[in-house]
Amino acid sequence: MSYEQARALMNKGVSRPTLYSVELPSIISRGTNDYLKFFCNTTAIPSVSHQTVAANGHEYQGVVREQPIAVVYGKPFTITVIENSDFSVYKDLRAWFDRCAINSNPQQNSISQRMNYYSSFVQDMKLTKLENPKGNFNLGLFDLDGEYDKPLTVNFFNAYPVSIGQIALSSDAFDTTTTYDISFTYETYNVQYNGLLGTIGNVINAVDSLL
């Protein structure tokens, strides 16, 4: 296949892994959400798979099939943050983490802890994959207020931070940034394509729920 033939198969060009946006729930300050547009260093769209069991001779004798029994979502959803000198992201995310338990950040004379009700700390959040719009490859890498296409959005339901990773410090780490991981668990997620649900099955389920 020639270069021109390969180019003709691409409507907009290859996808860039550097273009994405993480949006945390409204309990997180707008300043932190805006900051993460630029300083969420790495993340990934979680995997999805079927859990299966072997069904021997279910339809044909001697033939083993893999029968799906559950949809499995890859967990946790993790982001790596480049922190600022005020540690504002850490403060906001630690406050959400601390919602999970009373006295999660214990004081010297009060170390007993008790977990809160699940519904009191779970929130929805989203990850949006961005792409340069058709015919425009000149948008700046950090111009996330530009008119990017949003071909894919992952909506996480009932999420909360399950861990905040260690913050590595070193006296000889010159010209480096302070980074750490934040991992979220969640129940399920759906994928929207250009703002639309991704499968006919979702539409059918939505219609069935109204009947």
Side-chain angles (χ1 to χ4, degrees):
M1 179 181 291
S2 69
Y3 169 78
E4 292 300 327
Q5 289 175 317
R7 182 179 179 184
L9 294 175
M10 285 194 174
N11 187 33
K12 298 183 180 181
V14 296
S15 174
R16 297 183 179 184
T18 55
L19 298 176
Y20 57 89
S21 176
V22 175
E23 185 177 334
L24 299 179
S26 58
I27 62 171
I28 302 300
S29 69
R30 181 172 179 177
T32 291
N33 266 309
D34 289 343
Y35 180 87
L36 287 176
K37 290 181 181 179
F38 302 97
F39 297 104
C40 175
N41 191 33
T42 60
T43 189
I45 298 172
S47 64
V48 63
S49 62
H50 284 124
Q51 180 181 351
T52 64
V53 295
N56 191 354
H58 187 270
E59 187 170 355
Y60 299 103
Q61 185 176 358
V63 176
V64 179
R65 65 167 55 163
E66 292 290 322
Q67 180 68 35
I69 59 172
V71 177
V72 181
Y73 300 92
K75 302 176 186 180
F77 168 62
T78 301
I79 63 176
T80 301
V81 174
I82 300 174
E83 188 56 274
N84 57 61
S85 58
D86 291 329
F87 274 71
S88 59
V89 176
Y90 185 89
K91 292 175 185 176
D92 272 358
L93 269 298
R94 181 58 196 258
W96 186 7
F97 180 89
D98 290 342
R99 283 176 172 236
C100 297
I102 296 174
N103 208 28
S104 178
N105 190 21
Q107 304 303 310
Q108 182 175 4
N109 297 320
S110 177
I111 60 175
S112 296
Q113 298 175 344
R114 179 166 58 85
M115 304 311 295
N116 279 321
Y117 290 107
Y118 182 74
S119 60
S120 69
F121 54 79
V122 294
Q123 300 283 330
D124 296 342
M125 54 187 293
K126 66 175 62 175
L127 168 64
T128 302
K129 182 66 183 77
L130 306 174
E131 296 292 347
N132 285 318
K134 185 177 181 180
N136 187 348
F137 300 96
N138 297 318
L139 287 177
L141 175 62
F142 300 109
D143 182 22
L144 294 186
D145 290 326
E147 295 299 323
Y148 282 104
D149 287 344
K150 300 177 181 179
L152 187 153
T153 299
V154 181
N155 298 290
F156 300 94
F157 301 119
N158 290 336
Y160 67 93
V162 70
S163 71
I164 299 176
Q166 69 173 13
I167 302 175
L169 307 174
S170 175
S171 61
D172 61 356
F174 300 106
D175 299 323
T176 60
T177 57
T178 300
T179 64
Y180 55 92
D181 294 339
I182 305 169
S183 296
F184 303 86
T185 190
Y186 56 92
E187 292 182 3
T188 61
Y189 70 74
N190 75 15
V191 180
Q192 292 179 297
Y193 306 103
N194 292 313
L196 300 175
L197 287 175
T199 64
I200 295 177
N202 287 327
V203 177
I204 295 174
N205 290 337
V207 172
D208 287 343
S209 68
L210 298 175
L211 299 178

